[in-house]
C-alpha cells in the first residue's frame, strides 16, 4: 500500500525469524556441540532501503519477496561441551527482539488507524 | 507455530534431566537394585534436532538421546554391619556426589525457566500480531 507499511511488514517478519533462532538457542543451551546462531537482518534491511535510491533512473523496486535473512553461526570459544550459547545474552536479545516487534506492530496499527480516519472524513 | 515445538522440546528435555537428577539423589544410598549391585548414577544425553528436516528455517529443537549410566566405579566403604557387606566387610555404594546433583538440578531449573520465558515471549508476539488492524 505504501512504503512505510512494507518496511514495517519486513521488520515484523525479521523479528519473527529472529525469535525462532533465539528460541532455538535457548532450547539448545545444554546440547553438546551446538553453536549459537543469529540472524543478520539489520544489514539486509539497510541494503534493501539503499537499493531503491542508487540511481534516479532506476525503477523503485518494491521488494516484496519477504526476508531473505541469513542465519549466521557464532564461532566464539566455548566451554568443554563445545556449546557456546550464553543464556543471559540470548534472553537479552529475545527481550530486545520482542520489543522491536511490538514497536513495529504499534506503528502499523497507528498507520492503519490513520488510513481509517482518512477514509471516514467527509 | 513451529516455534512452540522448539521450546516444548526443550521443556521436555529439561524435565527429563530433572527426573534423572531426582532419581540420583533419591538413590544416593541404594546398595541393591533389581539389576544387582549398587545403584548407578544416570545422566541424560541431549542432541539438537531440526524441527522441519531439510528446511533451513532456523528452528532447532532438543532431543533426549537417552538416559546413560555413569561409568565411574562404585565407592567401596568399610561397614561390616551393613546387610550388603561382602565377607571382608566392604560395601559398594553408588558413586553419587549430592552437591554435583544439586548443581545439575539448579541448572535444569534455570534452563526450564528460560524456555518457559521464551515460550511466553513467542506467544506474546503472536498475540500482538493478531491485534494488527483492530
Amino acid at each position: 500500500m505504501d512504503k512505510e507499511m512494507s518496511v514495517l511488514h519486513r521488520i515484523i517478519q525479521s523479528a519473527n525469524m529472529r525469535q525462532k533462532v533465539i528460541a532455538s538457542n535457548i532450547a539448545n543451551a545444554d546440547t553438546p556441540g551446538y553453536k549459537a546462531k543469529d540472524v543478520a537482518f539489520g544489514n539486509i534491511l539497510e541494503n534493501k532501503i539503499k537499493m531503491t535510491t542508487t540511481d534516479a533512473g532506476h525503477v523503485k523496486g518494491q521488494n516484496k519477496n519477504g526476508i531473505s535473512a541469513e542465519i549466521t553461526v557464532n564461532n566464539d570459544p566455548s566451554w568443554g561441551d563445545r556449546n557456546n550459547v550464553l543464556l543471559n545474552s540470548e534472553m537479552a536479545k529475545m527481550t530486545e527482539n520482542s520489543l522491536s516487534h511490538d514497536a513495529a506492530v504499534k506503528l502499523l496499527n497507528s498507520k492503519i488507524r490513520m488510513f481509517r480516519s482518512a477514509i471516514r472524513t467527509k | 507455530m513451529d516455534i512452540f515445538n522448539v521450546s516444548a522440546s526443550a521443556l521436555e528435555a529439561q524435565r527429563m534431566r530433572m527426573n534423572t537428577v531426582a532419581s540420583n539423589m533419591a538413590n544416593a544410598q541404594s546398595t541393591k537394585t533389581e539389576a544387582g549391585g549398587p545403584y548407578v548414577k544416570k545422566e541424560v544425553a541431549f542432541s539438537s534436532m531440526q524441527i522441519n528436516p531439510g528446511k533451513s528455517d532456523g528452528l532447532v529443537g532438543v532431543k533426549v538421546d537417552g538416559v546413560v549410566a555413569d561409568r565411574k566405579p562404585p565407592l567401596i566403604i568399610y561397614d561390616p554391619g551393613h546387610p550388603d557387606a561382602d565377607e571382608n566387610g566392604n560395601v559398594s555404594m553408588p558413586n553419587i556426589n549430592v552437591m554435583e546433583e544439586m548443581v545439575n538440578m539448579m541448572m535444569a531449573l534455570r534452563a526450564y525457566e528460560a524456555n518457559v520465558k521464551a515460550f511466553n515471549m513467542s506467544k506474546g508476539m503472536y498475540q500482538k500480531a493478531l491485534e494488527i488492524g483492530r
Side-chain angles (χ1 to χ4, degrees):
Chain A
M1 210 186 296
D2 76 343
K3 224 192 243 163
E4 283 132 314
M5 261 179 143
S6 81
V7 168
L8 289 173
H9 171 228
R10 246 175 250 159
I11 292 173
I12 292 170
Q13 260 192 320
S14 313
N16 267 326
M17 179 150 194
R18 195 154 185 242
Q19 177 74 10
K20 283 179 188 172
V21 172
I22 297 169
S24 301
N25 285 345
I26 292 171
N28 285 286
D30 291 311
T31 308
Y34 181 86
K35 294 273 181 255
K37 294 175 185 64
D38 205 346
V39 186
F41 90 93
N43 293 335
I44 285 163
L45 209 63
E46 226 167 76
N47 285 344
K48 280 197 176 155
I49 293 166
K50 269 184 198 149
M51 230 157 56
T52 58
T53 55
T54 45
D55 192 305
H58 279 169
V59 180
K60 285 203 173 171
Q62 281 274 359
N63 230 327
K64 279 191 175 161
N65 48 3
I67 295 296
S68 55
E70 213 175 312
I71 295 174
T72 55
V73 179
N74 183 339
N75 276 317
D76 282 351
S78 54
W79 300 102
D81 58 356
R82 302 184 324 285
N83 181 319
N84 63 356
V85 177
L86 300 170
L87 201 51
N88 295 317
S89 71
E90 295 301 329
M91 294 306 284
K93 264 196 260 173
M94 194 171 63
T95 308
E96 182 200 335
N97 188 50
S98 149
L99 284 175
S100 90
H101 174 271
D102 290 359
V105 168
K106 219 164 229 171
L107 283 171
L108 192 53
N109 273 333
S110 59
K111 197 90 201 163
I112 291 168
R113 254 202 314 279
M114 277 164 70
F115 277 122
R116 215 174 254 164
S117 72
I119 292 165
R120 264 196 225 115
T121 309
K122 282 169 196 165
Chain B
M1 299 280 156
D2 286 334
I3 189 165
F4 295 118
N5 293 342
V6 173
S7 296
S9 72
L11 292 177
E12 190 73 38
Q14 295 300 340
R15 184 176 287 277
M16 191 84 172
R17 184 177 174 193
M18 195 64 121
N19 288 346
T20 45
V21 170
S23 306
N24 288 345
M25 295 220 311
N27 287 290
Q29 305 291 327
S30 302
T31 51
K32 228 190 289 184
T33 55
E34 278 174 33
Y39 175 84
V40 180
K41 181 185 158 169
K42 306 280 189 300
E43 248 175 285
V44 284
F46 294 159
S47 70
S48 54
M49 78 175 166
Q50 293 278 330
I51 296 287
N52 297 315
K55 262 170 98 183
S56 59
D57 52 4
L59 289 167
V60 188
V62 197
K63 188 174 77 201
V64 178
D65 268 347
V67 180
V68 290
D70 194 63
R71 276 177 298 200
K72 270 187 282 202
L75 282 178
I76 310 292
I77 58 159
Y78 181 69
D79 185 3
H82 198 284
D84 288 322
D86 62 11
E87 60 273 14
N88 301 320
N90 289 331
V91 188
S92 296
M93 297 294 281
N95 199 341
I96 289 170
N97 183 341
V98 178
M99 281 300 149
E100 208 176 278
E101 298 302 324
M102 288 295 286
V103 170
N104 211 345
M105 188 171 75
M106 274 157 77
M107 279 168 74
L109 183 64
R110 294 290 169 255
Y112 192 90
E113 281 169 1
N115 279 294
V116 169
K117 183 99 184 160
F119 189 100
N120 284 334
M121 277 214 168
S122 310
K123 195 179 95 180
M125 278 171 68
Y126 277 117
Q127 259 166 356
K128 276 265 159 59
L130 284 173
E131 300 280 305
I132 293 174
R134 286 249 173 102

